[in-house]
Amino acid sequence: MTTTPPRPHPAPPYTEQRPPPERSARSWVVTTMALAQLGLFLALLTPVFSSLAIKVQDIVPEDDVVSALGMVSSLGALAALLANPVFGRISDRTKGRFGRRRPWLVIGALGLTAGLAVIATAQSLAVVAVAWFLSQMFANAALAAFTASVADQIPVFQRGKVAGLIGVMQNLAILGAAYAARVLGTDVLLLFMVPAAVGLALVVLYVIVLPDKPLPQRPPYGGGLRAVLRTFWVNPRRHPDFAWAFVSRFMVILAMFMFTTFRLLFLQDQLGLSDDRAVSVMATGVLVYTVVLMAAGQLAGWLSDRVRRRKVFVGFSALVFGIGTAMLITTHSVAGFYAAEAVLGLGFGVYAGVDLALVLDVLPDPEDSAKDLGVFNIANAAPQSIAPAVGALLVNTAGGREYHLLLGVAAAVCVVGALAVIPIRKVR
């Protein structure tokens, strides 16, 4: 008499008591990954938050500063919008012994450094605008490869924690950018080149450590205009979760840059501070913002991995960031500015700690991650292109160098970004 052996039970789902099926990323990879994020954004954001505004003020008449800064910033953001998905697609298809990501990390960092050197020595607004366009293009070649390397190297169960660390590093770079103007003074060459040199060194360190395996066979080209257009497109009907995450990021970044592009001018105009005092207050405000952000980002990333939830953190963070933006409307003192910066740090800290993990969880095709992340980066770059022009229009509409309309619109946009995560289904 034969008996049928019992059917095996399926393996239990992953719990904290059961090791995950994937290995954690090596600690030195995560550490150098975080440092590369810090370096890239330090080089890129020092111009955004201080040195570019100082350079523009040296070149154009005082009455034209807002419009000129808006134009230059918009051109740079347009370059980011175009370059990130294009270089992401190229990175996915790069075949060679150095891997898919390493070459573009190095090329991008070198190109960014060269572009910033041109801006530092430029004598006309046209040269500054063209050089900033090229700087953003090369920076986004590096950023496309970098973000794809996160998807390549970090397993799902570790993404919240690592995303939180990366978000903290990006915002630590903002702090460094603010203090660069305070430490280096008004020496434009140092303001551009010291952060660029630090960024280049940290990217090279990551490239040395990164276990970037060569692509065994290049994917088929596909050819033609349709293939080029697909570089900028992910079908929202087929991938609605990705589309809603895109909308949420677009709105939050739009709200953020509507203010941060004009942060230094806001302190000079609304609070009536001198140039030196405004730089000092901005640096302290960003310090407050970053300290709160670092604590909030790390806690949110860790907690998100523990409870297996992303959406509630992203929605909460966008609402808090909107509240902080609204607080600035009634701010007429340095203390009030610092309080608003603390609330903004809490909101964006939680957002930075979780949103990247959410995005990685809803990618349409893990094998084409750099291209899809490049498309998603349009939600970072397009608002940066729009925000300076929209912000300048709102400031001028309010009577010139008045910021209440700008801040009110930014707060409303941020609330829309919070609501956009609700329809996402793949991630809780």
Side-chain angles (χ1 to χ4, degrees):
M1 180 177 177
T2 60
T3 59
T4 303
R7 297 176 65 185
H9 294 291
Y14 167 69
T15 63
E16 291 299 320
Q17 289 74 35
R18 179 174 177 267
E22 302 175 272
R23 295 180 61 183
S24 298
R26 299 288 187 183
S27 59
W28 58 81
V29 173
V30 174
T31 300
T32 54
M33 179 184 290
L35 290 174
Q37 172 85 340
L38 172 65
L40 275 172
F41 276 93
L42 181 64
L44 188 59
L45 293 180
T46 301
V48 170
F49 290 105
S50 57
S51 56
L52 196 58
I54 293 171
K55 182 69 179 182
V56 169
Q57 289 182 78
D58 287 344
I59 293 174
V60 304
E62 183 179 352
D63 292 342
D64 297 333
V65 168
V66 171
S67 298
L69 181 59
M71 182 273 291
V72 172
S73 299
S74 294
L75 270 178
L78 176 63
L81 186 153
L82 296 174
N84 203 288
V86 169
F87 282 104
R89 185 176 181 85
I90 294 171
S91 175
D92 281 335
R93 293 167 175 268
T94 295
K95 186 174 183 295
R97 63 192 182 108
F98 296 110
R100 294 189 293 172
R101 315 304 181 197
R102 286 195 193 103
W104 297 107
L105 282 162
V106 173
I107 291 169
L110 286 171
L112 172 61
T113 303
L116 294 177
V118 172
I119 296 173
T121 57
Q123 299 299 316
S124 74
L125 186 65
V127 173
V128 169
V130 171
W132 183 236
F133 182 94
L134 294 174
S135 297
Q136 282 275 19
M137 183 186 75
F138 281 108
N140 278 272
L143 287 169
F146 173 82
T147 309
S149 75
V150 179
D152 295 343
Q153 303 296 325
I154 307 301
V156 173
F157 68 89
Q158 200 181 2
R159 284 177 177 172
K161 182 179 179 181
V162 174
L165 178 60
I166 288 174
V168 165
M169 287 298 171
Q170 179 176 338
N171 287 276
L172 193 59
I174 295 175
L175 177 63
Y179 270 87
R182 187 171 180 177
V183 173
L184 301 174
T186 57
D187 188 319
V188 176
L189 184 62
L190 291 179
L191 272 173
F192 279 100
M193 297 316 299
V194 170
V198 172
L200 179 61
L202 292 178
V203 168
V204 170
L205 177 63
Y206 179 50
V207 166
I208 293 170
V209 171
L210 178 64
D212 186 19
K213 295 180 180 179
L215 189 66
Q217 183 176 358
R218 185 179 287 110
Y221 169 60
L225 179 61
R226 182 177 296 180
V228 175
L229 294 177
R230 279 201 303 268
T231 300
F232 298 93
W233 178 251
V234 173
N235 192 321
R237 290 189 176 184
R238 292 180 58 190
H239 307 288
D241 288 348
F242 184 86
W244 283 115
F246 182 100
V247 171
S248 177
R249 174 73 69 90
F250 186 100
M251 293 298 177
V252 172
I253 299 300
L254 177 62
M256 176 183 177
F257 275 87
M258 283 174 70
F259 169 65
T260 54
T261 301
F262 301 100
R263 182 192 255 133
L264 184 61
L265 298 180
F266 169 85
L267 291 171
Q268 293 170 325
D269 296 335
Q270 184 151 321
L271 272 61
L273 304 179
S274 66
D275 292 356
D276 291 342
R277 176 64 173 153
V279 168
S280 176
V281 169
M282 183 181 73
T284 304
V286 176
L287 174 62
V288 172
Y289 172 92
T290 305
V291 169
V292 175
L293 180 146
M294 291 176 66
Q298 283 292 279
L299 178 60
W302 172 82
L303 190 58
S304 173
D305 282 342
R306 295 279 295 182
V307 303
R308 300 290 192 269
R309 292 182 182 274
R310 314 287 195 205
K311 288 164 56 175
V312 64
F313 292 96
V314 174
F316 168 80
S317 66
L319 284 173
V320 172
F321 194 83
I323 292 170
T325 304
M327 287 173 61
L328 290 166
I329 297 173
T330 57
T331 295
H332 296 285
S333 68
V334 171
F337 174 73
Y338 292 157
E341 288 280 16
V343 176
L344 290 169
L346 173 62
F348 203 76
V350 175
Y351 187 87
V354 178
D355 187 62
L356 178 59
L358 183 149
V359 172
L360 294 176
D361 289 347
V362 300
L363 284 178
D365 183 4
E367 297 301 318
D368 214 11
S369 59
K371 193 277 288 185
D372 290 337
L373 286 166
V375 172
F376 192 83
N377 190 66
I378 294 173
N380 286 324
Q384 294 180 49
S385 179
I386 296 168
V390 173
L393 177 64
L394 292 172
V395 170
N396 291 328
T397 299
R401 304 218 165 185
E402 293 289 338
Y403 297 87
H404 57 275
L405 181 59
L406 167 68
L407 295 168
V409 172
V413 167
C414 215
V415 172
V416 174
L419 297 175
V421 300
I422 295 174
I424 294 175
R425 294 184 178 183
K426 185 178 179 180
V427 177
R428 294 193 299 167

